[in-house]
């Protein structure tokens, strides 16, 4: 048989004898029913799919979980851990969860496409400050997203599909997912700007500025708002001003990624300084926000994309386009995480409790940085390790090479990324000596 030029082969039909009782004459009659025997595919349409490379951090976490060594330590996964090595649900988050769950007035109807309005306003105010001129002039709005990654993707989709941007720049090094998110969104050209001096273990500000000076007009520049991942080293305020000068002079578009506000230093205002400086200077920009780390809501996937414009006149058109992008991606966001964050940030008492928690987390991380360096120095570990205490936030770019990382994993069961990035939250009073011993052995190995 032929349909539209395609040849279809009929399946083989075999007769099947079916006995049926004739209730009128009480006789057995026979009738033939067709039985279709389907042709079996000798191969699957999915045979063309090749295995993708493993995601390093999750593969590392799996290897750690399967390791039976009692001294093992996980410095890979980007999540906070207590001094006992356990996940921590912030007390204010736990109390708010219970309050929301017991509220009979709350239902499970859809949120709007742009998300929970209370949360969006609270998240934007946290980023820009309660007294932000841009907020007061109503030229700012937020879009609830699927955590920080979702905010990055939503912003990237908008910039390339609606604004026609084709080039983006990320730091060298950067979070490994930045390039994938932007390329998958449709950006054509990926670039890097120098950020880290691998020998001196400081920011290469001259290289950074030089590379941005070479960027084509309109290029999107991904900037880490605070606690740069993976280096843990942020520009000084003076360096931020230099960066802003180049971006303004070259007519580039800043895209901030704020994954650790409050979690980095314990002070949300301090961690938002760079973003607020750019906004106060009159930049139009977007900023992705994550509430995974600073609220401990990793699995709730709660984020926000703050959009800053020159005038409120463009808000209606821009929001309508974001609505269409969201509609085509996931229709509308989940409610529970946004209710938690929105409730906490909108209540002065609860917000104060939250700030106590982030101060606790950031303080413990600083203490572990100091303890690790002290132990390395006590062992006379070759090299200078002061950069570890100068860094901020969850991560430290230790300077260990891939071979040395292999030694830590194989010989000491200390798991970290091959770049030498460690999650300082995985260091605690019980394992810090073992980790220092492992690093000392690795860098002393001939």
């Amino acid at each position: 048989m032929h349909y539209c030029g395609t040849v279809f082969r009929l399946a083989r039909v075999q007769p099947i004898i079916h006995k049926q009782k004739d209730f009128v004459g009480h006789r057995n009659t026979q009738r033939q029913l067709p039985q279709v025997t389907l042709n079996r595919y000798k191969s699957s349409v999915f045979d063309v799919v090749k295995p993708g490379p493993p995601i390093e951090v999750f593969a590392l976490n799996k290897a750690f979980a399967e390791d039976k060594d009692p001294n093992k330590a996980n410095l890979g996964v980007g999540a906070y851990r207590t001094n006992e090595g356990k996940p921590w649900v912030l007390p204010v988050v736990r109390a708010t969860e219970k309050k929301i769950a017991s509220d009979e007035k709350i239902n499970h109807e859809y949120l709007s496409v742009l998300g929970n309005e209370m949360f969006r306003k609270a998240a934007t105010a946290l980023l820009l400050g309660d007294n932000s001129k841009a907020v007061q002039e109503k030229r700012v709005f937020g879009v609830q997203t699927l955590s920080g990654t979702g905010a990055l993707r939503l912003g990237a989709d908008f910039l390339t599909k609606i604004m026609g941007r084709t080039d983006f720049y990320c730091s060298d090094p950067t979070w490994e997912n930045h390039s994938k998110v932007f390329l998958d969104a449709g950006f054509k050209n990926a670039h890097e700007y120098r950020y880290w001096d691998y020998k001196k273990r400081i920011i290469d500000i001259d290289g950074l500025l030089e590379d941005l000076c070479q960027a084509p007009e309109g290029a999107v520049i991904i900037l880490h708002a605070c606690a740069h991942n993976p280096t843990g080293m942020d520009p000084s305020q003076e360096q931020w001003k230099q960066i802003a000068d180049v971006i303004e002079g070259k007519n580039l578009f800043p895209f901030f990624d704020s994954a650790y506000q409050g979690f980095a230093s314990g002070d949300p205002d301090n961690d938002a300084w760079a973003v607020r400086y750019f906004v106060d200077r009159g930049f139009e920009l977007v900023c992705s926000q994550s509430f995974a780390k600073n609220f401990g809501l990793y699995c709730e996937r709660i984020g926000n994309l703050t959009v800053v414009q020159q005038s409120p006149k463009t808000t209606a058109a821009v929001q309508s386009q974001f609505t269409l992008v969201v509609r085509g991606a996931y229709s509308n966001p989940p409610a529970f995480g946004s209710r938690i964050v929105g409730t906490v940030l909108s209540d002065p008492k609860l917000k104060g409790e939250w700030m106590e928690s982030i101060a606790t987390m950031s303080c413990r991380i600083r203490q572990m940085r100091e303890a690790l360096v002290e132990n390395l120095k006590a062992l006379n570990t070759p090299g200078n390790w002061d950069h570890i205490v100068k860094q901020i936030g969850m991560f430290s770019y230790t300077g260990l090479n891939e071979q040395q990382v292999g030694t830590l994993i194989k010989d000491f069961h200390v798991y970290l990324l091959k770049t030498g990035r460690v999650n300082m939250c995985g260091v605690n009073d019980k394992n810090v000596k073992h980790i220092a011993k492992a690093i000392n052995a690795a860098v002393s190995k001939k």
Side-chain angles (χ1 to χ4, degrees), residues 102-117:
S102 63
D103 188 345
E104 296 291 340
K105 297 179 181 179
I106 293 177
N107 55 45
H108 298 292
E109 293 295 301
Y110 292 116
L111 294 183
S112 70
V113 176
L114 297 184
N116 182 329
E117 186 175 1

Side-chain angles (χ1 to χ4, degrees), residues 66-85:
E66 295 172 351
D67 193 331
K68 304 301 182 183
D69 192 275
N71 294 317
K72 66 180 182 179
N74 188 354
L75 307 183
V77 65
Y80 180 78
R81 294 292 181 263
T82 66
N83 196 46
E84 292 70 40

Side-chain angles (χ1 to χ4, degrees), residues 52-62 175-177 180 417:
I55 299 174
E56 184 186 7
V57 68
F58 296 121
L60 199 70
N61 203 40
K62 183 176 184 293
W175 180 47
E176 74 279 357
N177 211 21
K180 179 171 177 55
L417 299 186

Side-chain angles (χ1 to χ4, degrees), residues 49-154:
V49 179
K50 304 301 181 185
I55 299 174
E56 184 186 7
V57 68
F58 296 121
L60 199 70
N61 203 40
K62 183 176 184 293
F64 170 81
E66 295 172 351
D67 193 331
K68 304 301 182 183
D69 192 275
N71 294 317
K72 66 180 182 179
N74 188 354
L75 307 183
V77 65
Y80 180 78
R81 294 292 181 263
T82 66
N83 196 46
E84 292 70 40
K86 304 295 184 182
W88 188 42
V89 177
L90 278 60
V92 69
V93 167
R94 182 70 82 194
T96 305
E97 284 179 319
K98 293 178 180 178
K99 179 181 177 181
I100 292 171
S102 63
D103 188 345
E104 296 291 340
K105 297 179 181 179
I106 293 177
N107 55 45
H108 298 292
E109 293 295 301
Y110 292 116
L111 294 183
S112 70
V113 176
L114 297 184
N116 182 329
E117 186 175 1
M118 176 179 66
F119 160 75
R120 290 160 50 205
K121 288 182 176 180
T124 299
L126 179 70
L127 179 69
L128 301 182
D130 294 326
N131 299 318
S132 169
K133 185 178 179 181
V135 173
Q136 293 171 355
E137 294 175 350
K138 298 182 180 180
R139 51 188 179 87
V140 176
F141 67 89
V143 181
Q144 183 186 334
T145 61
L146 306 181
S147 203
T149 304
L152 287 165
R153 178 57 186 263
L154 180 62

Side-chain angles (χ1 to χ4, degrees), residues 330-383:
Y330 52 86
S331 192
N332 44 34
F336 192 59
S338 69
R339 287 171 177 161
I340 295 171
V341 176
T343 300
V344 171
L345 293 181
S346 300
D347 185 305
K349 181 179 180 296
L350 297 179
K351 186 177 180 180
E353 294 177 17
W354 170 68
M355 292 183 68
E356 290 177 5
S357 292
I358 58 177
T360 296
M361 292 189 286
S362 61
C363 181
R364 196 188 85 75
I365 293 171
R366 286 195 298 272
Q367 290 173 347
M368 289 302 99
R369 289 183 181 278
E370 294 168 359
L372 180 58
V373 172
E374 287 175 4
N375 277 274
L376 289 171
K377 290 181 176 179
L379 293 169
N380 294 315
T381 304

Side-chain angles (χ1 to χ4, degrees), residues 281-301:
R281 269 187 64 158
F283 280 92
E284 292 185 296
L285 55 83
V286 295
C287 179
S288 62
Q289 296 170 261
S290 169
F291 294 89
K293 272 73 174 181
N294 57 10
F295 267 78
L297 293 170
Y298 304 98
C299 69
E300 297 300 338
R301 311 311 294 148

